[in-house]
Amino acid sequence: MITLRDYQAQLVEDARKSYASGKKAPLLVLPTGGGKTTIFAHITHRAADRGKCVFLICHRAELVKQISMTLGNFGCPRQIIAPPPIINAV
């Protein structure tokens, strides 16, 4: 399991508060290297623990591999729907 950095945990908490206040689609923004994949893997894992199904959409094979590995680090079950070259590379 990965522990979030303080600023990442705060961003997750801010997003939760935004949803709780009735917002439908809060936008989370971080610079390159800020841990966006780690944050949404954390959120995805928590949702999966509550029995929710989460779909993540990605446009680059390299990012699909990164996302899959990060979800695995969180112990999050996952499946990839992609053309065969991407599936074999993960």
Side-chain angles (χ1 to χ4, degrees):
M1 181 59 105
I2 296 173
T3 303
L4 296 179
R5 295 174 186 254
D6 291 341
Y7 70 91
Q8 293 170 327
Q10 184 62 53
L11 191 60
V12 170
E13 184 60 28
D14 291 347
R16 292 185 76 227
K17 287 179 183 177
S18 183
Y19 278 116
S21 72
K23 302 291 190 284
K24 300 289 184 196
L27 176 64
L28 309 180
V29 180
L30 284 174
T32 301
K36 293 177 288 290
T37 303
T38 300
I39 289 172
F40 74 68
H42 171 81
I43 293 169
T44 299
H45 185 254
R46 290 179 56 176
D49 281 349
R50 293 190 317 273
K52 303 291 183 182
C53 183
V54 178
F55 288 89
L56 303 171
I57 301 170
C58 182
H59 69 294
R60 299 192 56 93
E62 299 83 8
L63 295 177
V64 171
K65 291 191 291 186
Q66 175 186 338
I67 291 166
S68 180
M69 288 176 19
T70 304
L71 288 169
N73 290 339
F74 274 93
C76 191
R78 63 213 183 273
Q79 292 182 327
I80 297 173
I81 301 171
I86 293 175
I87 293 172
N88 294 333
V90 176

